[in-house]
Amino acid sequence: MIELEGVPELIDPVMVAAFEGWNDAGDAASTAVAHLEREWKGEVFAALDAEDYYDFQVNRPTVFMDGGVRKITWPTTRLSVVRVGGEKPRDLVLVRGIEPSMRWRSFCNELLGFAHELGVELVVILGALLGDTPHTRPVPVSGVTSDPDLAQRMDLEETKYEGPTGIVGVLQEACTHAGVPAVSLWAAVPHYVSQPPNPKATLALLNRLEDLLDLRVPQGELPEDARAWQVGVDQLAAEDSEVAEYVQTLEEARDTAELPEASGEAIAREFERYLRRRDVSPPGGHATADGPDASYLRDNPSGRTRPPKPPKPGASGTAEGPSEGFAEGFAEGSAGGSSGGPSGEPSEGPAEGSSEGPAEGSAERGDEDTSED
Protein backbone atom coordinates (compact mmCIF):
# COMPACT_ATOMS: atom_id res chain seq x y z
CA MET A 1 0.00 0.00 0.00
CA ILE A 2 1.33 3.43 -0.95
CA GLU A 3 1.18 6.09 1.76
CA LEU A 4 0.99 9.58 0.27
CA GLU A 5 0.38 11.65 3.38
CA GLY A 6 1.69 14.91 1.94
CA VAL A 7 -0.34 14.83 -1.27
CA PRO A 8 -3.87 16.25 -1.20
CA GLU A 9 -6.75 14.98 -3.30
CA LEU A 10 -5.83 15.87 -6.85
CA ILE A 11 -7.99 17.54 -9.48
CA ASP A 12 -8.26 15.74 -12.84
CA PRO A 13 -4.67 14.50 -12.51
CA VAL A 14 -2.55 13.69 -15.54
CA MET A 15 0.83 11.99 -15.24
CA VAL A 16 3.55 13.43 -17.51
CA ALA A 17 6.75 11.38 -17.68
CA ALA A 18 10.13 11.57 -19.40
CA PHE A 19 13.29 9.50 -19.05
CA GLU A 20 16.78 10.40 -20.12
CA GLY A 21 18.70 7.91 -22.17
CA TRP A 22 17.75 6.02 -25.30
CA ASN A 23 14.40 7.79 -25.73
CA ASP A 24 15.65 11.35 -25.13
CA ALA A 25 17.60 12.71 -28.11
CA GLY A 26 19.05 16.12 -27.33
CA ASP A 27 17.67 15.80 -23.77
CA ALA A 28 14.52 17.35 -25.25
CA ALA A 29 11.95 15.26 -23.35
CA SER A 30 13.55 15.25 -19.89
CA THR A 31 14.21 18.98 -20.20
CA ALA A 32 10.53 19.56 -20.99
CA VAL A 33 9.43 17.88 -17.73
CA ALA A 34 12.17 19.73 -15.84
CA HIS A 35 10.77 22.98 -17.30
CA LEU A 36 7.26 22.17 -16.06
CA GLU A 37 8.64 21.33 -12.63
CA ARG A 38 10.61 24.57 -12.46
CA GLU A 39 7.97 26.94 -13.86
CA TRP A 40 5.16 25.53 -11.73
CA LYS A 41 7.38 24.98 -8.67
CA GLY A 42 6.77 21.27 -8.33
CA GLU A 43 7.70 19.59 -5.08
CA VAL A 44 8.96 16.02 -4.98
CA PHE A 45 6.83 13.66 -2.92
CA ALA A 46 8.40 10.29 -3.83
CA ALA A 47 11.54 8.77 -5.32
CA LEU A 48 11.99 5.19 -6.48
CA ASP A 49 14.63 3.07 -4.77
CA ALA A 50 17.71 3.41 -6.97
CA GLU A 51 19.07 0.03 -5.81
CA ASP A 52 16.15 -1.74 -7.48
CA TYR A 53 16.51 -0.39 -10.99
CA TYR A 54 19.91 1.12 -11.76
CA ASP A 55 23.37 -0.19 -12.55
CA PHE A 56 25.63 2.32 -10.82
CA GLN A 57 28.49 1.50 -13.18
CA VAL A 58 26.29 2.80 -16.00
CA ASN A 59 24.63 5.69 -14.12
CA ARG A 60 27.13 6.60 -11.43
CA PRO A 61 26.25 8.39 -8.18
CA THR A 62 27.87 11.77 -7.57
CA VAL A 63 29.55 13.25 -4.51
CA PHE A 64 28.99 16.84 -3.43
CA MET A 65 29.73 19.07 -0.46
CA ASP A 66 26.88 20.40 1.67
CA GLY A 67 28.02 22.75 4.40
CA GLY A 68 31.38 21.06 4.59
CA VAL A 69 29.80 17.60 4.71
CA ARG A 70 30.31 15.16 1.83
CA LYS A 71 27.08 13.65 0.55
CA ILE A 72 26.11 11.33 -2.28
CA THR A 73 23.23 11.66 -4.68
CA TRP A 74 21.99 8.54 -6.41
CA PRO A 75 20.51 8.25 -9.91
CA THR A 76 16.80 7.62 -9.61
CA THR A 77 13.31 8.56 -10.80
CA ARG A 78 11.36 11.15 -8.84
CA LEU A 79 7.69 12.13 -8.75
CA SER A 80 6.36 15.61 -8.06
CA VAL A 81 3.01 17.36 -8.28
CA VAL A 82 2.19 20.78 -9.72
CA ARG A 83 -1.15 22.53 -9.64
CA VAL A 84 -2.22 24.36 -12.78
CA GLY A 85 -4.61 27.15 -11.80
CA GLY A 86 -7.12 29.13 -13.85
CA GLU A 87 -10.81 28.70 -14.52
CA LYS A 88 -10.43 24.93 -14.70
CA PRO A 89 -7.60 23.98 -12.34
CA ARG A 90 -6.00 20.58 -12.61
CA ASP A 91 -2.94 18.76 -11.29
CA LEU A 92 0.01 17.25 -13.11
CA VAL A 93 2.01 14.39 -11.64
CA LEU A 94 5.50 14.83 -13.09
CA VAL A 95 7.80 11.81 -13.44
CA ARG A 96 11.41 12.57 -14.31
CA GLY A 97 14.30 10.17 -14.18
CA ILE A 98 16.58 7.81 -16.04
CA GLU A 99 15.73 4.82 -18.15
CA PRO A 100 16.21 1.90 -15.73
CA SER A 101 19.02 -0.59 -16.19
CA MET A 102 17.01 -3.59 -14.98
CA ARG A 103 13.61 -4.88 -13.78
CA TRP A 104 11.58 -2.77 -16.22
CA ARG A 105 8.30 -4.53 -15.48
CA SER A 106 8.62 -3.87 -11.75
CA PHE A 107 9.61 -0.28 -12.54
CA CYS A 108 6.45 0.23 -14.58
CA ASN A 109 4.30 -1.52 -11.97
CA GLU A 110 5.61 0.84 -9.30
CA LEU A 111 4.79 3.92 -11.39
CA LEU A 112 1.34 2.49 -12.15
CA GLY A 113 0.85 1.94 -8.41
CA PHE A 114 1.36 5.65 -7.87
CA ALA A 115 -0.92 6.49 -10.79
CA HIS A 116 -3.69 4.30 -9.35
CA GLU A 117 -3.33 5.71 -5.83
CA LEU A 118 -3.38 9.31 -7.10
CA GLY A 119 -6.36 8.77 -9.40
CA VAL A 120 -4.44 9.58 -12.58
CA GLU A 121 -6.80 9.73 -15.56
CA LEU A 122 -4.22 9.88 -18.37
CA VAL A 123 -0.49 9.15 -18.74
CA VAL A 124 1.51 11.23 -21.24
CA ILE A 125 5.06 10.07 -21.92
CA LEU A 126 7.46 12.41 -23.70
CA GLY A 127 10.24 11.18 -25.95
CA ALA A 128 12.66 12.47 -28.58
CA LEU A 129 14.15 10.63 -31.54
CA LEU A 130 16.82 11.31 -34.13
CA GLY A 131 15.47 11.79 -37.62
CA ASP A 132 15.98 13.22 -41.10
CA THR A 133 14.55 16.61 -40.22
CA PRO A 134 16.18 20.01 -40.95
CA HIS A 135 16.86 22.30 -38.00
CA THR A 136 15.46 25.23 -40.00
CA ARG A 137 11.89 23.89 -40.02
CA PRO A 138 9.36 23.43 -37.20
CA VAL A 139 10.12 20.38 -35.09
CA PRO A 140 7.78 17.50 -36.00
CA VAL A 141 5.97 16.11 -32.96
CA SER A 142 3.90 12.95 -33.29
CA GLY A 143 1.33 11.73 -30.81
CA VAL A 144 0.79 7.96 -30.67
CA THR A 145 -1.24 5.54 -28.61
CA SER A 146 -2.06 1.85 -28.53
CA ASP A 147 -5.74 2.58 -27.85
CA PRO A 148 -7.82 2.92 -31.07
CA ASP A 149 -10.62 4.79 -29.28
CA LEU A 150 -8.16 7.21 -27.67
CA ALA A 151 -6.45 7.74 -31.01
CA GLN A 152 -9.74 8.77 -32.61
CA ARG A 153 -10.90 10.90 -29.68
CA MET A 154 -7.63 12.84 -29.27
CA ASP A 155 -6.58 12.94 -32.95
CA LEU A 156 -3.54 10.70 -32.44
CA GLU A 157 -1.84 7.99 -34.46
CA GLU A 158 -2.39 4.39 -33.50
CA THR A 159 1.09 2.93 -33.20
CA LYS A 160 1.96 0.07 -35.53
CA TYR A 161 5.65 -0.06 -34.66
CA GLU A 162 7.46 -3.39 -34.38
CA GLY A 163 11.06 -3.67 -33.22
CA PRO A 164 13.36 -2.76 -30.31
CA THR A 165 11.84 -0.44 -27.75
CA GLY A 166 12.83 1.65 -24.75
CA ILE A 167 11.18 2.40 -21.42
CA VAL A 168 8.75 4.78 -23.14
CA GLY A 169 7.28 1.97 -25.23
CA VAL A 170 7.29 -0.48 -22.33
CA LEU A 171 5.55 1.95 -19.97
CA GLN A 172 2.92 2.82 -22.58
CA GLU A 173 2.09 -0.84 -23.11
CA ALA A 174 2.02 -1.43 -19.34
CA CYS A 175 -0.53 1.38 -19.04
CA THR A 176 -2.61 -0.12 -21.82
CA HIS A 177 -2.68 -3.56 -20.18
CA ALA A 178 -3.56 -1.94 -16.83
CA GLY A 179 -6.48 -0.05 -18.38
CA VAL A 180 -4.86 3.38 -17.99
CA PRO A 181 -5.14 5.64 -21.06
CA ALA A 182 -1.64 6.47 -22.28
CA VAL A 183 -0.19 8.69 -25.00
CA SER A 184 3.38 9.17 -26.19
CA LEU A 185 4.54 12.46 -27.74
CA TRP A 186 7.68 12.23 -29.86
CA ALA A 187 9.81 15.13 -31.10
CA ALA A 188 12.13 14.54 -34.06
CA VAL A 189 15.63 15.96 -33.48
CA PRO A 190 18.01 16.55 -36.44
CA HIS A 191 20.45 13.66 -36.35
CA TYR A 192 23.32 15.85 -37.57
CA VAL A 193 23.10 18.07 -34.48
CA SER A 194 21.97 15.64 -31.80
CA GLN A 195 23.98 16.78 -28.79
CA PRO A 196 22.04 18.51 -26.00
CA PRO A 197 20.52 20.86 -25.32
CA ASN A 198 17.89 21.27 -28.00
CA PRO A 199 15.50 23.97 -26.70
CA LYS A 200 13.63 24.05 -30.00
CA ALA A 201 12.59 20.41 -29.64
CA THR A 202 11.76 20.94 -25.96
CA LEU A 203 9.52 23.88 -26.86
CA ALA A 204 7.79 21.84 -29.57
CA LEU A 205 6.99 19.07 -27.07
CA LEU A 206 5.55 21.57 -24.59
CA ASN A 207 3.43 23.18 -27.30
CA ARG A 208 2.05 19.78 -28.29
CA LEU A 209 1.36 19.01 -24.62
CA GLU A 210 -0.59 22.28 -24.41
CA ASP A 211 -2.79 21.21 -27.29
CA LEU A 212 -3.28 17.72 -25.92
CA LEU A 213 -4.25 18.79 -22.38
CA ASP A 214 -5.84 22.15 -23.27
CA LEU A 215 -3.74 24.19 -20.86
CA ARG A 216 -1.18 26.96 -21.06
CA VAL A 217 2.44 26.24 -20.25
CA PRO A 218 4.61 29.21 -19.21
CA GLN A 219 7.44 29.21 -21.71
CA GLY A 220 9.97 31.30 -19.79
CA GLU A 221 13.18 31.74 -21.76
CA LEU A 222 12.63 28.73 -24.02
CA PRO A 223 11.55 30.72 -27.13
CA GLU A 224 14.64 32.91 -26.90
CA ASP A 225 16.86 29.88 -26.28
CA ALA A 226 15.32 28.12 -29.29
CA ARG A 227 16.03 31.10 -31.55
CA ALA A 228 19.61 31.32 -30.30
CA TRP A 229 20.07 27.58 -30.86
CA GLN A 230 18.88 27.82 -34.46
CA VAL A 231 21.07 30.86 -35.18
CA GLY A 232 24.05 28.96 -33.79
CA VAL A 233 23.39 25.91 -35.95
CA ASP A 234 22.76 28.14 -38.98
CA GLN A 235 26.19 29.69 -38.54
CA LEU A 236 27.89 26.33 -38.16
CA ALA A 237 26.13 24.89 -41.20
CA ALA A 238 27.05 27.93 -43.30
CA GLU A 239 30.74 27.31 -42.58
CA ASP A 240 30.65 23.88 -44.23
CA SER A 241 29.37 23.65 -47.79
CA GLU A 242 28.72 19.92 -47.48
CA VAL A 243 26.56 20.43 -44.40
CA ALA A 244 24.74 23.37 -45.99
CA GLU A 245 23.96 21.30 -49.08
CA TYR A 246 22.72 18.42 -46.95
CA VAL A 247 20.45 20.72 -44.92
CA GLN A 248 19.03 22.16 -48.14
CA THR A 249 18.24 18.64 -49.35
CA LEU A 250 16.37 17.92 -46.12
CA GLU A 251 14.47 21.21 -46.42
CA GLU A 252 13.33 20.42 -49.95
CA ALA A 253 12.22 16.92 -48.96
CA ARG A 254 10.35 18.25 -45.93
CA ASP A 255 8.64 21.05 -47.84
CA THR A 256 7.57 18.70 -50.61
CA ALA A 257 6.15 16.17 -48.16
CA GLU A 258 4.18 18.83 -46.30
CA LEU A 259 2.87 20.68 -49.35
CA PRO A 260 -0.61 19.05 -49.20
CA GLU A 261 -0.93 20.31 -45.62
CA ALA A 262 -0.63 23.94 -46.70
CA SER A 263 -4.39 24.25 -47.01
CA GLY A 264 -6.59 27.01 -45.67
CA GLU A 265 -7.91 24.68 -42.98
CA ALA A 266 -4.43 23.70 -41.81
CA ILE A 267 -3.26 27.31 -41.72
CA ALA A 268 -6.34 28.38 -39.77
CA ARG A 269 -5.86 25.55 -37.28
CA GLU A 270 -2.24 26.50 -36.68
CA PHE A 271 -3.18 30.18 -36.29
CA GLU A 272 -5.77 29.25 -33.67
CA ARG A 273 -3.09 27.34 -31.74
CA TYR A 274 -0.81 30.36 -31.91
CA LEU A 275 -3.50 32.67 -30.57
CA ARG A 276 -4.38 30.26 -27.79
CA ARG A 277 -0.76 30.06 -26.64
CA ARG A 278 -0.23 33.80 -26.87
CA ASP A 279 -3.54 34.74 -25.24
CA VAL A 280 -2.98 37.80 -23.07
CA SER A 281 -5.68 36.81 -20.61
CA PRO A 282 -4.58 35.63 -17.14
CA PRO A 283 -2.47 32.52 -17.81
CA GLY A 284 -3.76 30.55 -14.85
CA GLY A 285 -0.93 28.08 -15.11
CA HIS A 286 1.65 29.98 -13.10
CA ALA A 287 2.15 28.70 -9.58
CA THR A 288 3.91 31.23 -7.39
CA ALA A 289 5.68 30.86 -4.09
CA ASP A 290 3.19 33.10 -2.34
CA GLY A 291 0.04 31.86 -4.07
CA PRO A 292 -2.85 30.17 -2.31
CA ASP A 293 -1.61 26.71 -3.30
CA ALA A 294 2.07 27.36 -2.69
CA SER A 295 2.34 25.16 0.37
CA TYR A 296 -0.22 22.48 -0.40
CA LEU A 297 2.52 19.93 -0.86
CA ARG A 298 5.01 21.09 1.76
CA ASP A 299 4.74 17.99 3.91
CA ASN A 300 7.03 15.40 2.50
CA PRO A 301 5.64 11.97 3.40
CA SER A 302 7.83 9.51 5.20
CA GLY A 303 7.70 5.84 5.85
CA ARG A 304 5.70 4.92 2.74
CA THR A 305 5.70 1.30 1.79
CA ARG A 306 6.34 -0.06 -1.64
CA PRO A 307 3.46 0.03 -4.15
CA PRO A 308 1.53 -3.18 -4.65
CA LYS A 309 2.70 -5.24 -7.57
CA PRO A 310 0.04 -6.70 -9.86
CA PRO A 311 -0.01 -10.49 -10.09
CA LYS A 312 2.06 -11.98 -12.87
CA PRO A 313 0.04 -13.17 -15.89
CA GLY A 314 -0.35 -17.05 -16.48
CA ALA A 315 16.05 8.97 -18.50
CA SER A 316 18.77 18.69 -18.43
CA GLY A 317 19.65 20.35 -20.77
CA THR A 318 23.10 21.73 -20.29
CA ALA A 319 24.51 25.13 -21.07
CA GLU A 320 26.57 23.77 -23.93
CA GLY A 321 25.96 25.33 -27.31
CA PRO A 322 25.21 23.46 -30.53
CA SER A 323 28.77 23.84 -31.76
CA GLU A 324 30.24 21.16 -29.49
CA GLY A 325 30.36 17.86 -31.30
CA PHE A 326 28.55 19.25 -34.36
CA ALA A 327 31.01 17.84 -36.85
CA GLU A 328 30.98 14.45 -35.17
CA GLY A 329 27.19 14.37 -35.12
CA PHE A 330 26.98 15.23 -38.79
CA ALA A 331 29.60 12.69 -39.71
CA GLU A 332 27.79 9.91 -37.88
CA GLY A 333 24.42 10.88 -39.30
CA SER A 334 25.51 11.29 -42.90
CA ALA A 335 27.73 8.23 -42.95
CA GLY A 336 25.08 5.85 -41.79
CA GLY A 337 21.98 7.77 -42.70
CA SER A 338 19.36 8.69 -40.18
CA SER A 339 19.25 6.84 -36.90
CA GLY A 340 15.99 5.36 -37.95
CA GLY A 341 15.26 4.23 -41.46
CA PRO A 342 11.98 3.00 -42.92
CA SER A 343 12.62 -0.33 -41.28
CA GLY A 344 12.64 1.33 -37.88
CA GLU A 345 15.95 -0.26 -36.88
CA PRO A 346 17.85 1.72 -34.25
CA SER A 347 21.52 2.45 -34.02
CA GLU A 348 23.45 1.48 -30.92
CA GLY A 349 24.27 3.79 -28.04
CA PRO A 350 22.19 6.30 -26.12
CA ALA A 351 23.22 9.25 -28.27
CA GLU A 352 22.26 7.64 -31.54
CA GLY A 353 19.98 4.83 -30.58
CA SER A 354 16.30 4.85 -31.04
CA SER A 355 13.34 2.77 -30.36
CA GLU A 356 9.87 2.78 -31.70
CA GLY A 357 9.16 5.49 -34.19
CA PRO A 358 5.75 7.14 -34.12
CA ALA A 359 6.15 8.55 -37.60
CA GLU A 360 7.03 6.76 -40.79
CA GLY A 361 10.69 6.42 -41.54
CA SER A 362 11.80 7.23 -37.99
CA ALA A 363 12.62 5.36 -34.82
CA GLU A 364 12.50 6.18 -31.13
CA ARG A 365 15.55 7.53 -29.48
CA GLY A 366 19.15 11.08 -22.00
CA ASP A 367 18.51 15.58 -17.61
CA GLU A 368 19.57 13.38 -14.83
CA ASP A 369 17.48 13.21 -11.73
CA THR A 370 19.13 12.33 -8.49
CA SER A 371 17.87 11.62 -5.07
CA GLU A 372 19.86 12.15 -1.90
CA ASP A 373 20.83 8.96 -0.21
Side-chain angles (χ1 to χ4, degrees):
M1 171 119 184
I2 305 174
E3 297 178 4
L4 300 174
E5 299 170 356
V7 183
E9 184 176 352
L10 303 184
I11 304 172
D12 299 329
V14 173
M15 179 176 281
V16 181
F19 305 94
E20 65 174 272
W22 211 45
N23 303 139
D24 194 20
D27 289 355
S30 55
T31 303
V33 174
H35 178 86
L36 296 175
E37 199 171 44
R38 180 174 59 252
E39 292 293 326
W40 280 326
K41 297 178 172 59
E43 296 190 33
V44 175
F45 66 87
L48 305 191
D49 189 343
E51 291 278 352
D52 290 342
Y53 306 115
Y54 297 104
D55 179 348
F56 299 138
Q57 291 183 329
V58 176
N59 298 289
R60 292 187 177 273
T62 58
V63 178
F64 69 101
M65 299 297 293
D66 183 12
V69 179
R70 288 169 61 84
K71 295 185 177 181
I72 296 178
T73 56
W74 298 90
T76 189
T77 293
R78 300 187 299 169
L79 291 85
S80 60
V81 170
V82 297
R83 176 152 292 171
V84 183
E87 296 181 359
K88 297 176 62 177
R90 78 181 316 170
D91 293 306
L92 300 183
V93 180
L94 304 180
V95 179
R96 184 162 65 106
I98 308 167
E99 183 176 68
S101 306
M102 62 195 80
R103 304 182 68 229
W104 284 21
R105 285 175 291 186
S106 297
F107 181 87
C108 293
N109 286 343
E110 189 159 1
L111 291 180
L112 284 170
F114 281 107
H116 175 74
E117 186 72 13
L118 295 168
V120 167
E121 301 175 348
L122 174 69
V123 175
V124 181
I125 316 166
L126 307 183
L129 54 89
L130 298 181
D132 288 324
T133 181
H135 72 277
T136 54
R137 297 294 186 264
V139 176
V141 178
S142 300
V144 298
T145 180
S146 300
D147 186 336
D149 295 333
L150 192 64
Q152 184 175 10
R153 187 166 70 251
M154 303 189 77
D155 192 23
L156 303 167
E157 298 177 39
E158 186 179 353
T159 179
K160 302 294 185 183
Y161 172 80
E162 297 180 59
T165 188
I167 192 60
V168 172
V170 172
L171 180 56
Q172 178 165 331
E173 290 308 303
C175 291
T176 300
H177 290 303
V180 179
V183 174
S184 296
L185 300 181
W186 289 92
V189 172
H191 66 84
Y192 57 89
V193 56
S194 60
Q195 49 283 352
N198 191 318
K200 186 173 181 179
T202 295
L203 185 60
L205 279 171
L206 292 174
N207 287 341
R208 186 68 174 87
L209 186 66
E210 280 187 325
D211 294 338
L212 184 72
L213 302 182
D214 192 23
L215 52 80
R216 273 198 61 196
V217 174
Q219 296 185 346
E221 298 179 355
L222 269 178
E224 182 179 347
D225 292 342
R227 285 191 291 270
W229 177 88
Q230 180 162 327
V231 169
V233 180
D234 284 342
Q235 293 172 348
L236 290 168
E239 295 172 0
D240 189 315
S241 59
E242 184 180 357
V243 174
E245 182 179 353
Y246 179 69
V247 172
Q248 183 178 1
T249 301
L250 292 179
E251 289 173 339
E252 293 172 353
R254 172 78 178 271
D255 294 344
T256 301
E258 293 189 346
L259 191 59
E261 291 295 322
S263 62
E265 182 180 348
I267 295 173
R269 184 169 60 249
E270 188 60 33
F271 186 59
E272 288 176 359
R273 290 178 178 175
Y274 172 81
L275 291 179
R276 185 163 62 250
R277 293 183 186 129
R278 303 287 72 79
D279 187 2
V280 295
S281 60
H286 298 255
T288 59
D290 55 354
D293 296 322
S295 62
Y296 83 104
L297 195 56
R298 294 295 181 192
D299 298 326
N300 196 21
S302 60
R304 71 173 181 84
T305 58
R306 298 290 301 280
K309 297 179 180 176
K312 296 181 180 179
S316 50
T318 66
E320 299 175 8
S323 59
E324 186 172 341
F326 177 83
E328 291 85 344
F330 172 72
E332 293 172 2
S334 57
S338 164
S339 295
S343 65
E345 293 185 7
S347 306
E348 294 182 0
E352 309 158 3
S354 69
S355 119
E356 57 233 67
E360 293 184 7
S362 62
E364 286 183 359
R365 299 290 178 242
D367 191 274
E368 178 174 298
D369 264 313
T370 58
S371 175
E372 187 173 316
D373 181 45

